[in-house]
Amino acid sequence: MGTEILSFDVEKIREQFPVLNQRVNGYPLVYFDNAATSQKPRAVIDAISEYYQTINSNVHRGVHHLSQLATDAYEKAREKVQLHINARHTHEIIFTKGTTDSINLVASGFRDLIKEGDEIIISALEHHSNIVPWQMLCEKIRAKLKVIPFNDMGELIQEEYDKLLSEKTRLVAFNHISNALGTINPAKEMIAKAHAAGAAVLIDGAQAIPHMAVDVQDLNADFYAFSSHKMFGPTGVGILYGKEKWLEKLPPYQGGGEMIKTVSFKKTTYAGLPHKFEAGTPNIEAGIVLGVAVDFLQEIGLENIAAYEQELLEYGTQRLMEFDFMRIIGQAENKASVISFLMGDLHPYDVGSIVDKLGIALRTGHHCAQPIMDGFNIPGTLRASFSFYNTKGETDRMIEALKKAKMMLS
Amino acid sequence: MSIDKIQEEIVEEFALFDDWMQKYEYLIELGKSLPLIDEQYKIDDNIIKGCQSRVWLHADIEGNKVVYTADSDAILTKGLIALMIRTLSDQKPDDIVNADMSFIDQIGLKEHLSPTRANGLLSMIKQMKFYALAMQAKDQF
């Protein structure tokens, strides 16, 4: 992986992302909202058009030529995803609508696998999408939802996690990387602990997949959910990796075409994996083109990406700390290229609105993780999240824009 | 002064500014200078939640007119609130309900009123009109 590119040539990489080459409000765009969604390389953009121009057809049903080509391409993409995360089997890769859909699929299936009084553990660092489905499940079954707290640095407190685990724990769900703070959670160790207690584990990997090499077998995750759009692929397709034994246990998520073996009014039998979970016509084009995004990532190499983004993170942190009254929210020792921050008592909305006028795309608000903001007792933050096509020069531009905002608002 | 007249005035004021920065500086000025709401009304019941900034809104009846006071934790939002209050406060319920707020577009600040901006402003206008509507209804009975 990544052996083709020995040095990381960011200018060459930027050339492959047409959207970056534009002016916003009269200034060259600086896109620092990568944790929300990633930009797409030309290979991905072209592949979408090419799909519709050459092989558009429905999958898994026609005997005709185009249908075969589309089906092959779709299944090839599944295989690429399998290899990318080192899953044991291709049929352990389920295509969904996105990370949220993947999590809901598992939560819905667990209705049949847990009972009143059982416990589910999540973390206080979760995105709403990894909170609400479990809350809904617990309300329905009258199971208990327990939450692993975090410390001042934004790291999950492992001793508290140990205390929460018990023979009542059926499932543990947490993110690999926090979208709001960038904390990289010690997933492998946490999974091992959950398994020792007899619980299954779902990892929300939406923020990890674009930034680091993920090996689901090495992690020993039972479920691993992520989205194409955050990993330079098209919007509208997500992935649920599940261990074969767990996917077999879960009932189908939705009924319809594609997910059945035989249908009569007396009895329907379901298709095997992965189709059991893929009712209806899927997002064919996005699924196929996700395969192109995987190729793109493999070519650059996730080790190269992770190393370069760490550089951006360090530089960004160092430059931000030049401001008086700078408060970086989330200072975990193990951190991905996300910086959540507050400048004195300036409101994130005010600062974000002004830097936007200067062409800088930052995220402001609670980042769909309200409990984290409550934990720090703040209304929200400004968030800069870097990707491998960003540069230190862009960070300098952000710093200048922040200085301007501070001057205007003080 | 009628709502239309006030809006015309604001549009004229903003026409003096050459760029966004002057407009924002003016909003910040407005936001800083106005004592907008009595502390006793800055309570959760009066809060209009946006995911980006919070807005507090209170309405009183004075004679046959509605008087609004409001506040926000973000200064740009506060500046915009000052403009809304200047436009809609101390007006008759009928006029408030029928007020066209598109002047915000004309002064080049439309983006702050986008529903996706989630700063509570759009909900605030709705709530202002809702109060006026309630008072209109009360008058009829």
Side-chain angles (χ1 to χ4, degrees):
Chain A
M1 220 201 279
T3 45
E4 298 89 336
I5 295 178
L6 292 170
S7 65
F8 197 87
D9 187 346
V10 69
E11 285 313 318
K12 274 239 163 67
I13 283 170
R14 285 179 71 83
E15 281 169 16
Q16 297 183 58
F17 289 83
V19 79
L20 297 176
N21 184 26
Q22 66 175 301
R23 297 178 93 81
V24 167
N25 294 321
Y27 297 88
L29 166 68
V30 172
Y31 185 78
F32 280 170
D33 194 16
N34 293 287
T37 197
S38 62
Q39 298 302 344
K40 318 303 171 199
R42 194 178 298 282
V44 163
I45 299 167
D46 289 349
I48 294 172
S49 164
E50 196 191 322
Y51 163 76
Y52 284 112
Q53 292 187 56
T54 55
I55 60 170
N56 175 45
S57 193
N58 212 330
V59 289
H60 304 130
R61 46 202 80 177
V63 292
H64 61 82
H65 181 68
L66 281 192
S67 171
Q68 203 55 58
L69 289 179
T71 305
D72 287 349
Y74 193 71
E75 290 307 317
K76 185 78 197 160
R78 198 191 301 276
E79 207 181 304
K80 283 180 181 172
V81 173
Q82 177 213 341
L83 296 174
H84 189 62
I85 62 170
N86 192 32
R88 192 183 301 267
H89 305 293
T90 316
H91 61 252
E92 290 176 326
I93 306 298
I94 313 294
F95 284 140
T96 63
K97 287 188 294 186
T99 306
T100 301
D101 191 36
S102 297
I103 296 170
N104 275 283
L105 187 160
V106 178
S108 146
F110 260 76
R111 269 187 227 163
D112 291 2
L113 303 180
I114 66 169
K115 57 180 194 312
E116 191 174 340
D118 283 348
E119 294 177 359
I120 289 176
I121 298 176
I122 60 173
S123 96
L125 283 180
E126 298 314 303
H127 187 281
H128 296 161
S129 63
N130 204 22
I131 300 174
V132 184
W134 306 115
Q135 243 167 5
M136 289 164 72
L137 171 65
C138 286
E139 270 167 28
K140 182 122 193 142
I141 306 289
R142 296 199 184 138
K144 246 195 185 150
L145 189 67
K146 300 207 155 179
V147 184
I148 314 163
F150 54 79
N151 62 20
D152 292 347
M153 313 289 275
E155 296 164 320
L156 294 178
I157 305 172
Q158 295 300 317
E159 299 74 43
E160 296 297 323
Y161 173 48
D162 296 345
K163 281 187 225 159
L164 293 178
L165 283 165
S166 76
E167 72 284 353
K168 287 185 186 163
T169 314
R170 290 289 159 268
L171 184 128
V172 179
F174 61 91
N175 54 32
H176 203 163
I177 295 180
S178 152
N179 74 305
L181 307 182
T183 310
I184 304 177
N185 287 314
K188 194 174 172 178
E189 292 76 25
M190 290 178 71
I191 291 169
K193 284 180 191 172
H195 285 164
V201 183
L202 176 138
I203 305 289
D204 167 0
Q207 297 295 337
I209 285 284
H211 304 292
M212 61 197 272
V214 170
D215 181 329
V216 290
Q217 289 192 72
D218 180 55
L219 286 172
N220 205 11
D222 300 300
F223 300 101
Y224 198 97
F226 54 105
S227 293
S228 159
H229 76 93
K230 290 201 204 285
M231 56 184 293
F232 319 99
T235 311
V237 67
I239 298 91
L240 173 68
Y241 158 78
K243 276 185 192 160
E244 186 182 50
K245 68 163 187 184
W246 276 108
L247 292 175
E248 294 287 6
K249 264 187 225 176
L250 291 187
Y253 181 36
Q254 290 174 327
E258 186 96 16
M259 53 77 71
I260 44 83
K261 197 151 89 190
T262 60
V263 175
S264 75
F265 287 113
K266 268 195 187 136
K267 171 95 187 140
T268 291
T269 55
Y270 304 122
L273 296 174
H275 306 295
K276 175 172 118 181
F277 295 109
E278 296 182 355
T281 296
N283 192 337
I284 304 167
E285 144 256 315
I288 291 172
V289 179
L290 165 62
V292 177
V294 168
D295 288 343
F296 181 81
L297 275 171
Q298 289 277 346
E299 216 170 286
I300 298 170
L302 277 150
E303 285 80 0
N304 290 329
I305 289 172
Y308 178 70
E309 288 179 354
Q310 279 301 312
E311 254 181 65
L312 290 178
L313 172 68
E314 276 164 35
Y315 184 72
T317 307
Q318 180 199 320
R319 293 252 29 213
L320 281 170
M321 289 312 289
E322 289 170 16
F323 285 95
D324 295 335
F325 307 111
M326 172 58 62
R327 194 171 157 205
I328 292 184
I329 310 294
Q331 303 192 44
E333 204 171 311
N334 242 335
K335 209 179 142 175
S337 53
V338 172
I339 312 178
S340 244
F341 62 97
L342 284 169
M343 298 169 71
D345 55 2
L346 301 183
H347 198 287
Y349 178 79
D350 292 327
V351 179
S353 296
I354 291 173
V355 300
D356 169 60
K357 285 288 186 188
L358 297 163
I360 318 285
L362 295 184
R363 176 79 181 264
T364 62
H366 55 53
H367 319 299
C368 299
Q370 256 170 338
I372 300 183
M373 302 303 141
D374 293 345
F376 282 105
N377 198 21
I378 50 177
T381 67
L382 287 144
R383 183 186 69 186
S385 51
F386 310 115
S387 188
F388 58 85
Y389 43 64
N390 291 127
T391 66
K392 290 182 187 172
E394 288 182 309
T395 298
D396 294 338
R397 288 250 338 266
M398 173 183 76
I399 298 292
E400 289 312 307
L402 290 171
K403 279 184 187 162
K404 179 115 213 165
K406 191 178 173 184
M407 204 184 70
M408 286 176 73
L409 291 164
S410 299
Chain B
M1 207 187 296
S2 73
I3 291 178
D4 284 351
K5 198 84 196 135
I6 298 169
Q7 292 187 350
E8 264 170 46
E9 231 179 51
I10 295 174
V11 171
E12 274 169 31
E13 278 169 29
F14 272 79
L16 298 173
F17 301 133
D18 296 329
D19 59 13
W20 69 270
M21 215 177 289
Q22 291 177 344
K23 285 180 194 170
Y24 274 36
E25 273 164 356
Y26 182 57
L27 282 181
I28 291 164
E29 206 61 31
L30 286 176
K32 279 183 187 164
S33 62
L34 284 175
L36 292 168
I37 199 170
D38 198 293
E39 277 302 317
Q40 62 168 316
Y41 298 125
K42 219 169 153 179
I43 50 172
D44 281 358
D45 276 352
N46 285 337
I47 212 166
I48 296 167
K49 273 192 182 148
C51 115
Q52 303 272 355
S53 63
R54 292 178 298 173
V55 171
W56 292 266
L57 176 69
H58 174 73
D60 269 323
I61 280 265
E62 280 179 22
N64 61 348
K65 289 175 175 173
V66 190
V67 174
Y68 297 103
T69 47
D71 200 359
S72 171
D73 51 355
I75 196 90
L76 283 170
T77 308
K78 213 168 154 182
L80 282 153
I81 287 174
L83 291 178
M84 312 285 178
I85 289 192
R86 185 167 148 199
T87 313
L88 296 183
S89 192
D90 211 16
Q91 300 287 349
K92 291 185 186 136
D94 269 352
D95 297 340
I96 297 167
V97 171
N98 296 321
D100 170 12
M101 299 299 279
S102 58
F103 80 102
I104 295 290
D105 196 356
Q106 289 175 53
I107 59 176
L109 294 170
K110 186 177 79 172
E111 74 243 32
H112 288 276
L113 281 190
S114 137
T116 52
R117 194 88 173 191
N119 55 8
L121 268 179
L122 206 60
S123 313
M124 177 182 145
I125 295 178
K126 268 190 208 144
Q127 193 62 32
M128 287 173 103
K129 291 200 169 198
F130 180 75
Y131 279 137
L133 203 63
M135 287 167 191
Q136 212 180 20
K138 225 195 285 177
D139 279 354
Q140 286 166 1
F141 292 101

